[in-house]
Amino acid sequence: MSKLYDLLIIGAGPGGLAAGIYGSRAKLSTAVLDKNAEPGGQASTTDEMENYPGFYNGTTGPGIMKEFADHAKSFGTEFLRGTVDEVDFTGPVKKVHTQQGDTYESKVVVLSPGATPRKINVKGEAELRGKGVSYCATCDADFFVDLDVVVVGNGDAAIEEAMYLTKFAETVTIIVIHEEGNLDCNKASAEKAMKNPKLKWVWNSTVEEIAGDELVEKVVLKNINTGELTDLETNGVFVFIGTEPHTDFLKGKVELDDRGYLVANDMMETNVPGVYAVGDARVKYLRQVVTAAADGAIAASAAEKYLSELETLQNDVLDVSNKKPVILAFWAPQVEESIDSIAAVDKIVEEKNGAVELVKLDTYRAKKTATQYKVTEIPTIVLFKDGKDVARIEGAKNITSDAVEDLLKESVEV
């Protein structure tokens, strides 16, 4: 615990690495903590990648993730190794402990633990992953133009992805464990899928094996009623039976949805101040390298502003070594009446010859502090004494010279 980081990122997938790039470039002391020796997360398992902007000739998952990591290192991001098993986000300094016995401290934590597709765990699945076995239609559909593929799963995501695959593949055969006509997806999707001529169905069945020499060539199906095994030739297998976020160590620490995904707003903020969530483990619409990278950029940018607010508040307002009273003035250049009000406050403070200090905050740029002190009207002035807020005046009509003078007379000796 010899070092206190500004920004500690848990997970070295594209979201975490992008946060590292943006954090380090903003001159924040930044580290990425990951359990794997090589960075990249789920993306590093993709042999071919053709949909990342700018790489129209294609690239590889490991290749582009190495570029992400090298980019972060070039700005000074540190890379740490360890598997996180416990976190403490209760105080202003966040603590992260690993199974290896290390504890790291940081002012801000970005959570990028990732998620993995649920697997069917049959023979050949692992060996042929990226060689015909896929878990992402958006990523890999265009590798199967005019070929035959199989989809495993029948929920909303599986049927939606199967419909998408029909734009590329010659045929898409959906393997369904249920009786004919019984699907787990919503009724509207089921009706639409049943009418698609490119979709074929195998009912009452599961996949027992995926086989092929270097590439997928067939699947072995088992009828759950009869136990009969049959071979079905195919060029690809797409598995859509859900994903599993790696968030067990975060239960009770930050808000998770009922499936275990991190809940965050559009600034990637969780319900815990100073803790952000990015990438596949976050509740989101599209899980891709490009969206994870965007999450990371947003989180690091938001974190930089958060830290700047904290520094201003701590050093200029809450520092108890400063015995002078402090007026914290919330204003906004977009609110014209706030400009005149704060100017009046500024004049009074000048007349006190240094007995009172004034700190002005643009409310739109310092939303965290405004929320923390429950500022609902612009302008608002809050008087602090010995690091504590003791009085306030809200609204331009109320922030008059006389009102400010009365506030100071009643609250402090000047």
Side-chain angles (χ1 to χ4, degrees), residues 60-248:
T60 67
I64 199 168
M65 288 300 95
K66 183 180 184 302
E67 294 293 333
F68 271 45
D70 289 347
H71 197 165
K73 290 175 184 176
S74 74
F75 286 126
T77 301
E78 291 184 44
F79 280 77
L80 309 170
R81 181 90 179 273
T83 301
V84 178
D85 60 2
E86 183 62 36
V87 297
D88 181 358
F89 297 153
T90 56
V93 174
K94 319 302 179 189
K95 297 179 181 179
V96 176
H97 187 267
T98 71
Q99 293 178 2
Q100 292 73 23
D102 298 311
T103 299
Y104 300 98
E105 294 186 337
S106 183
K107 299 174 186 176
V108 168
V109 169
V110 173
L111 301 170
S112 180
T116 51
R118 286 193 176 92
K119 300 173 179 60
I120 53 177
N121 295 316
V122 299
K123 183 180 178 181
E125 180 181 14
E127 293 83 356
L128 293 170
R129 179 171 182 167
K131 299 175 182 178
V133 175
S134 175
Y135 304 87
C136 177
T138 307
C139 308
D140 298 331
D142 60 347
F143 296 128
F144 297 89
V145 173
D146 297 331
L147 298 177
D148 299 308
V149 300
V150 161
V151 166
V152 181
N154 67 104
D156 286 337
I159 299 304
E160 181 180 333
E161 297 288 85
M163 295 285 285
Y164 179 79
L165 284 165
T166 62
K167 298 178 181 180
F168 302 85
E170 180 67 25
T171 63
V172 178
T173 302
I174 303 178
I175 312 302
V176 185
I177 195 171
H178 306 305
E179 296 286 341
E180 183 172 351
N182 185 11
L183 298 174
D184 292 331
C185 66
N186 66 81
K187 186 176 180 180
S189 293
E191 291 177 352
K192 187 176 180 181
M194 292 292 184
K195 296 176 182 177
N196 191 312
K198 280 193 169 185
L199 287 180
K200 300 182 181 299
W201 306 85
V202 176
W203 306 95
N204 299 310
S205 299
T206 59
V207 175
E208 288 291 295
E209 181 182 348
I210 303 171
D213 183 14
E214 296 298 325
L215 295 174
V216 169
E217 296 174 0
K218 70 175 183 178
V219 291
V220 179
L221 304 179
K222 179 180 180 180
N223 185 290
I224 61 172
N225 292 331
T226 66
E228 179 184 3
L229 298 178
T230 57
D231 291 349
L232 176 64
E233 292 186 3
T234 188
N235 303 111
V237 179
F238 285 80
V239 179
F240 303 119
I241 57 173
T243 56
E244 296 177 310
H246 303 158
T247 56
D248 284 348

